[in-house]
Amino acid sequence: MTTAPPSVSAPSVVAADPVDGAGSGPASTAAPHAPGRGRRLIGWIFVAALLVGIALLSMRFAVTDPDLTGTLNPDGPGPAGAKALAELARDQGSDIDITRSRLDAAGALDPETTLVMTDPYTLSDQAVLDLIDRADRVVLLGGSARMLRLLELGEDVPGEAGRVQAGCGVPEFADVGVIEAERMFLPAPGVDGCFRVESGASAVLRTTADARMVTLVEGTHLFSNDALAENGNAALGLALLAQTDRIVWYVPNFQDSDLSVDEDSLGDLTPEWVTPAILLLMIAGFAAIWWRGRRFGPLVAESLPVTVRASETMQGRARLTARAADAPHAGEAIRTGTVTRLAARLALGPRSTAQEVADAASDRLRIPRTSLYDLLAGSAPQSDNELIDLARRLAELETAVDDAVHIERNRP
């Protein structure tokens, strides 16, 4: 008497494919969905925009040479420039030749020309003296301590600035009126001081030594475009500049400097034995690399020093599938494993399709083929619940086939 094989009943036990799932059950795919391609694209666009913004900001704040020629620049229309004073001098009939080369300035000077300049900070002492020696009338619009020392005009007197009048016998200063002096100077012996205070400090220094008239005043603020209209500033500027028909206005700049900085090299700052020692160490390093270095050759296959257990691989793949929340892929893997094992138990070839396995299982279990077709090759599960249901039904099918084959083999 033959015992009827058990039929496939409703899902009751959760089982998993031992190849693609964990040993005790299928790995849960409840992990959050991976970010889509659109979100990744937006992230890369944001990073690119951030980099472009940083690059533009760096270019905006790039270090550049400061424009030091803006102070009392006869071409400068800004608040610190002296274009207004230059235009007033032109209106008085003076021809102004603006130059940024000391050689051109020296070549343009003649006995009827006034040399005007601020503090020539880019020139050496000798270059300044050579330029002044070519002029018979010099107006210095900056009262630096170097020019006071170099021309022996006097010394600075701090704390004496204020409103002053001419107070001297210079005819062109008679109608200037009151000015607001920025700095005061104590004249040296033989130097006349105008616009004095009671202590003897003066805002304007003038000397006629060596048949050359040299006048010095701190005019950074007095003669600027922003303050020229105040008090008698404009009148004082014309009294200094517009006394000749021609003016050579030299504007100092670093491109016209004769100063040279002798920078010591690294070899000059280190002892003599350092360079030979560095060369010797480099040679020894290259020799050691040549001696002990490995040469690259063809790849050689070798066995791994460790063996990875199948259960660890199975669990790792299950975790990856769960993390990706890919229920369709997990269901396909479980179905593939079930079809492979059922084909072996039903004496089919390893390349048997799911339909062939379903036909053979239907004959053994005497159940409709349609239900087995749908179970082994149906639509993929789309959620965790559908995946668990599919795994349970496949496990019950394998159990039923195992029982049928075992009973048939033990039939008397």
Side-chain angles (χ1 to χ4, degrees), residues 245-386:
D245 295 335
R246 190 162 177 269
I247 299 172
V248 175
W249 197 318
Y250 172 68
V251 181
N253 61 93
F254 285 108
Q255 285 71 29
D256 187 50
S257 177
D258 66 324
L259 299 173
S260 59
V261 180
D262 297 331
E263 297 182 357
D264 295 331
S265 63
L266 182 61
D268 297 333
L269 298 176
T270 55
E272 297 180 355
W273 57 268
V274 172
T275 301
I278 294 176
L279 294 176
L280 182 61
L281 290 175
M282 292 177 62
I283 294 174
F286 284 121
I289 294 173
W290 180 263
W291 172 46
R292 301 295 295 177
R294 292 178 178 270
R295 297 183 180 180
F296 292 104
L299 297 177
V300 178
E302 58 181 353
S303 58
L304 294 176
V306 295
T307 301
V308 180
R309 293 183 298 175
S311 60
E312 295 181 1
T313 305
M314 175 186 62
Q315 294 176 5
R317 292 181 61 186
R319 292 192 187 98
L320 290 176
T321 303
R323 187 177 303 170
D326 192 357
H329 175 75
E332 184 63 26
I334 296 175
R335 275 176 169 156
T336 301
T338 300
V339 169
T340 301
R341 289 188 295 275
L342 289 178
R345 293 166 185 169
L346 296 172
L348 299 176
R351 296 182 180 275
S352 300
T353 63
Q355 288 77 8
E356 294 173 349
V357 173
D359 291 338
S362 176
D363 293 339
R364 293 296 179 91
L365 299 177
R366 292 181 174 83
I367 60 177
R369 289 178 171 81
T370 307
S371 61
L372 294 182
Y373 287 161
D374 183 66
L375 182 59
L376 295 177
S379 60
Q382 300 301 320
S383 63
D384 290 343
N385 293 332
E386 294 180 6

Side-chain angles (χ1 to χ4, degrees), residues 155-165 178-186 194-204 217-218 221-222 231:
E155 59 185 18
D156 191 16
V157 180
E160 290 286 347
R163 296 173 61 87
V164 290
Q165 294 182 341
V178 177
I179 64 171
E180 188 75 26
E182 298 178 65
R183 291 173 60 190
M184 306 293 285
F185 310 98
L186 185 62
C194 295
F195 297 91
R196 294 189 300 264
V197 293
E198 296 181 358
S199 63
S202 305
V204 179
V217 59
E218 179 56 55
H221 177 71
L222 289 176
N231 302 317

